[in-house]
Amino acid sequence: FIINVGEVMSRWSNGRLKHVVHRVPNPKPGHRDPGRISLMAFVVPDYDTVVECLHCKEDGSVPLYEKTWVGEMMNWGSKLPIYNQTKMEMMRMAQGLYTKKGHQTKLGEPTDVKSIEQMMSTKSIPVLDISALHNGTKDKQSFIARRLSEAFELTGFAVVTGHGIAPELISNLRNKAYEFFRSPFEEKSKFDKGKGYGFGGYNGVGHENGAQLLGDFSRPNDVVESLHTGLAGLQSGVEAIQLKDSSDHCSAKDISGCEMEENAPPVVARPAQGFLHAAERVAKMTSKALQLALNVSDEEMDLVLDPSGGGLRLAYYPSKEAYGEDSMGYGSHIDSGGVTVISLDPANPHGLQVDISGVGTTGNDKDRIWVDVPFVPNSLVLNVGALLSRWTGHTWKASIHRVLPNRKNHERLSLITGALSPKVDGPAFAGFKNLATHEAVRAEDYLATRVALHRPEYAGEKGLTEKSIEEESKRIRQLQI
């Protein structure tokens, strides 16, 4: 057997154990033995393991390397943190590429794992130009509607271009939102309604726990600050539950004259209003896709869905350095309402991951396979929420996803709104035509429970015991709530 030391072990030993450059040349053409097979085994630590000198504190040695973590080092040529299950899936795909045309076919060529990573993401989460849903012919509209529906049927996610929101509207809102979140805590706290998550306004770090939306009450609170706001009188979507005290009302058929709610921070109010007005086109294109792909009628749409979009959530993920090792930007969860519309931060776009394993909400976490949502400049990410998935008989999937924390001194800010937002004043509804698989439920009741699940205080407020927490978790995982 041949044993050689890797860089992680070398760093743990502060260079006492050497890792050296080595290579394996191919047999020369015409050689009597045209190939070889090597059997290799690796001892690989967990990707969250800290990499630093193990003996320096005891013997006073000066560390030769900066402190880091395994996932940062073993990133396969990419700058993205890749976790164990994703890596194993990539290895299986890499092995298959040697026999697949159109990819890597020559033995001995170095595996381009960065390309594999991109292929995994785009294969699972397609990038689609949806502009035809706004101004295309009937045939083109039907084609794109089917493509978008296929993406939602596969993973519940799609990356879309041609959405019609001007890049400057997005960048202006993001810049102003950064200005708000970077302001002193005392200034941000003026927009904290003092009730915790679920009542709109500003929430600081520690006020949200996304993992509870998947029935996991064991995870630490998420490392995210958020601001929930919207157009005055919002009557649809998750934000409508939080802003239901607003007295003003706008027509769902035409939001062009709607103003922001009066409690919105002045620095973001006007750019947020412009962004939400422009996002109405995305909502209407998504509505068109639902109608064409799943044969949903105008009457059904008008009964339970708002064609003009949702509210606004600004999600700010600060540097993780000050927080625990097992904390997340946002824990594994599924969204609650219609279709979530996300603008990823172009300065730090990576961190949103989707489980493509197919094990679903009741599956074992160790069986999940996480892939990064591909980033395309000036694109939006669309993903299906639990209530819309329920109303489509789970034809459109509400997939489990998460947001990784910032491992370095980076910040990230996502702009989030909605499409196909359920009307909170709508009637109890079981589902579209023959797609219904659950009993009828009112959007307001369903979404109010889901909003409350975000709250770290949920179990205490509900008076859940250890046994009843298990029962509640089971109901959540089965999408009963």
Side-chain angles (χ1 to χ4, degrees), residues 184-203:
F185 180 73
E186 293 75 15
E187 290 298 315
K188 293 183 287 189
S189 296
K190 294 177 182 178
F191 302 94
D192 185 343
K193 297 184 179 181
K195 300 178 182 180
Y197 184 92
F199 297 91
Y202 169 75
N203 287 286

Side-chain angles (χ1 to χ4, degrees), residues 445-459:
D445 298 334
Y446 188 88
L447 294 178
T449 300
R450 298 283 300 177
V451 167
L453 276 169
H454 286 264
R455 295 171 61 84
E457 307 90 347
Y458 179 84

Side-chain angles (χ1 to χ4, degrees), residues 171-461:
S171 61
N172 187 34
L173 175 56
R174 179 169 282 111
N175 290 338
K176 293 300 182 181
Y178 263 126
E179 188 176 330
F180 171 78
F181 285 108
R182 290 168 178 166
S183 65
F185 180 73
E186 293 75 15
E187 290 298 315
K188 293 183 287 189
S189 296
K190 294 177 182 178
F191 302 94
D192 185 343
K193 297 184 179 181
K195 300 178 182 180
Y197 184 92
F199 297 91
Y202 169 75
N203 287 286
V205 171
H207 287 275
E208 299 181 50
N209 193 309
Q212 293 183 173
L213 289 165
L214 203 59
D216 186 350
F217 293 89
S218 67
R219 298 288 304 174
N221 297 335
D222 298 318
V223 184
V224 63
E225 298 178 40
S226 64
L227 178 70
H228 290 81
T229 186
L231 300 174
L234 190 68
Q235 295 296 298
S236 62
V238 172
E239 282 75 23
I241 297 294
Q242 305 192 46
L243 305 175
K244 61 184 177 182
D245 293 333
S246 176
S247 58
D248 297 325
H249 292 273
C250 275
S251 168
K253 298 294 185 183
D254 181 13
I255 64 170
S256 60
C258 295
E259 301 288 340
M260 292 295 292
E261 62 147 350
E262 61 181 15
N263 292 324
V267 69
V268 301
R270 187 165 295 278
Q273 181 177 322
F275 172 80
L276 289 174
H277 285 168
E280 182 180 13
R281 177 185 289 190
V282 182
K284 291 184 175 180
M285 288 193 288
T286 313
S287 299
K288 176 70 72 173
L290 177 67
Q291 290 179 296
L292 294 176
L294 299 186
N295 296 314
V296 174
S297 67
D298 289 334
E299 292 73 20
E300 289 178 300
M301 291 275 293
D302 290 341
L303 187 65
V304 293
L305 294 174
D306 187 342
S308 59
L312 177 66
R313 179 175 186 263
L314 303 174
Y316 172 72
Y317 302 94
S319 169
K320 183 181 177 291
E321 292 179 354
Y323 304 97
E325 286 297 318
D326 58 347
S327 59
M328 294 288 290
Y330 221 79
S332 303
H333 68 287
I334 59 174
D335 288 352
S336 300
V339 171
T340 303
V341 180
I342 310 170
S343 170
L344 299 177
D345 193 335
N348 188 11
H350 303 293
L352 178 59
Q353 294 188 324
V354 182
D355 172 29
I356 62 169
S357 65
V359 299
T361 56
T362 58
N364 196 313
D365 286 347
K366 67 180 179 63
D367 295 326
R368 302 199 184 283
I369 299 172
W370 297 100
V371 298
D372 294 286
V373 174
F375 174 71
V376 177
N378 299 321
S379 68
L380 296 173
V381 178
L382 306 183
N383 71 277
V384 178
L387 187 52
L388 181 60
S389 178
R390 178 186 178 117
W391 285 347
T392 64
H394 305 296
T395 301
W396 285 7
K397 290 181 171 58
S399 285
I400 296 168
H401 54 287
R402 66 184 183 183
V403 180
L404 299 179
N406 290 317
R407 293 283 177 177
K408 291 186 175 181
N409 189 26
H410 291 156
E411 55 186 352
R412 181 191 311 127
L413 199 152
S414 297
L415 313 180
I416 306 166
T417 184
L420 293 177
S421 299
K423 293 179 177 178
V424 296
D425 58 354
F429 189 64
F432 303 112
K433 289 186 178 178
N434 298 321
L435 298 176
T437 55
H438 292 278
E439 64 182 18
V441 63
R442 292 182 67 245
E444 183 172 14
D445 298 334
Y446 188 88
L447 294 178
T449 300
R450 298 283 300 177
V451 167
L453 276 169
H454 286 264
R455 295 171 61 84
E457 307 90 347
Y458 179 84
E461 291 172 342

Side-chain angles (χ1 to χ4, degrees), residues 53-219:
C53 174
L54 297 179
H55 58 79
C56 288
K57 291 182 180 179
E58 294 183 4
D59 62 18
S61 300
V62 178
L64 299 179
Y65 307 98
E66 291 184 5
K67 180 179 177 180
T68 183
W69 57 290
V70 171
E72 183 70 24
M73 296 178 60
M74 302 183 67
N75 59 12
W76 293 60
S78 165
K79 298 302 181 184
L80 311 181
I82 303 171
Y83 279 68
N84 288 323
Q85 291 152 343
T86 301
K87 180 182 175 184
M88 295 305 295
E89 183 69 13
M90 288 171 60
M91 289 178 67
R92 288 193 291 269
M93 293 188 69
Q95 292 164 358
L97 289 184
Y98 287 103
T99 59
K100 290 183 179 178
K101 292 183 179 180
H103 296 294
Q104 189 170 340
T105 57
K106 295 181 180 178
L107 288 171
E109 288 186 356
T111 304
D112 184 357
V113 182
K114 192 169 184 179
S115 297
I116 298 172
E117 179 184 71
Q118 182 67 22
M119 184 187 69
M120 281 183 65
S121 294
T122 54
K123 180 179 179 181
S124 304
I125 306 169
V127 179
L128 303 173
D129 182 347
I130 63 171
S131 57
L133 290 172
H134 175 67
N135 56 11
T137 64
K138 285 187 176 181
D139 287 344
K140 286 185 177 180
Q141 286 186 343
S142 295
F143 175 75
I144 294 300
R146 287 195 303 271
R147 291 289 309 280
L148 187 58
S149 183
E150 288 167 0
F152 288 162
E153 291 170 31
L154 180 64
T155 65
F157 270 75
V159 176
V160 300
T161 60
H163 48 73
I165 304 180
E168 56 269 22
L169 285 176
I170 295 175
S171 61
N172 187 34
L173 175 56
R174 179 169 282 111
N175 290 338
K176 293 300 182 181
Y178 263 126
E179 188 176 330
F180 171 78
F181 285 108
R182 290 168 178 166
S183 65
F185 180 73
E186 293 75 15
E187 290 298 315
K188 293 183 287 189
S189 296
K190 294 177 182 178
F191 302 94
D192 185 343
K193 297 184 179 181
K195 300 178 182 180
Y197 184 92
F199 297 91
Y202 169 75
N203 287 286
V205 171
H207 287 275
E208 299 181 50
N209 193 309
Q212 293 183 173
L213 289 165
L214 203 59
D216 186 350
F217 293 89
S218 67
R219 298 288 304 174

